[in-house]
Amino acid sequence: MAKNPRALEYEDGIEWTEDIESFDYVRQSVALSVSTRRRPVPWSGHGRRVGYAVLRSDAPSGDVPGKFIRRVFWVKDYDRSEQPNGTYKRSAPSEAVDPRTVAPGVWGELTERAWGAPLPDA
């Protein structure tokens, strides 16, 4: 995932729609054209949305008037939370972050917990 610094500038909070304690990792993406600052980020991608960033009321539009840049957090049906012994038993997808490292204005990080094992050498 390319980190877009504009996505973090006006974040006011992170709204989790599911208990993050049940996730070793979630996928972190940036939605570029959301039509709301605070309501849930619509999700039509594969998997399910489990959280999203909430923007301050003074957050400006992105490149398109009336559209905002926001982070969204989600899981796929074959992620470790759904299939503990599946594909990501001892690894994680490229956009994975430990939800415990997510905060307003702070990119989530890949931790050993999120990876499911000691992190490979970078």
Side-chain angles (χ1 to χ4, degrees), residues 37-77:
R37 290 179 180 98
R38 302 191 66 81
R39 290 191 311 267
V41 173
W43 183 251
S44 60
H46 296 287
R48 74 179 187 278
R49 184 195 67 214
V50 298
Y52 55 89
V54 174
L55 303 181
R56 296 188 332 230
S57 60
D58 64 342
S61 295
D63 295 334
V64 178
K67 301 289 183 176
F68 303 93
I69 300 170
R70 294 175 59 191
R71 284 191 294 167
V72 62
F73 305 94
W74 53 288
V75 296
K76 287 189 173 184
D77 60 0

Side-chain angles (χ1 to χ4, degrees), residues 15-94:
E15 185 70 33
W16 295 107
T17 57
E18 296 187 28
D19 180 8
I20 63 169
E21 290 304 314
S22 62
F23 299 103
D24 290 342
Y25 68 82
V26 296
R27 294 169 186 253
Q28 173 179 257
S29 298
V30 175
L32 298 176
S33 59
V34 179
S35 62
T36 174
R37 290 179 180 98
R38 302 191 66 81
R39 290 191 311 267
V41 173
W43 183 251
S44 60
H46 296 287
R48 74 179 187 278
R49 184 195 67 214
V50 298
Y52 55 89
V54 174
L55 303 181
R56 296 188 332 230
S57 60
D58 64 342
S61 295
D63 295 334
V64 178
K67 301 289 183 176
F68 303 93
I69 300 170
R70 294 175 59 191
R71 284 191 294 167
V72 62
F73 305 94
W74 53 288
V75 296
K76 287 189 173 184
D77 60 0
Y78 54 84
D79 282 335
R80 190 178 318 135
S81 57
E82 315 306 300
Q83 294 184 15
N85 294 313
T87 303
Y88 293 115
K89 181 178 181 177
R90 293 283 177 247
S91 65
S94 61

Side-chain angles (χ1 to χ4, degrees), residues 16 20 28 71 97-104 106-111:
W16 295 107
I20 63 169
Q28 173 179 257
R71 284 191 294 167
V97 297
D98 185 333
R100 293 149 199 83
T101 66
V102 172
V106 177
W107 290 111
E109 296 179 18
L110 183 64
T111 63

Side-chain angles (χ1 to χ4, degrees), residues 110-121:
L110 183 64
T111 63
E112 287 189 354
R113 178 184 185 135
W115 188 253
L119 289 170
D121 293 333

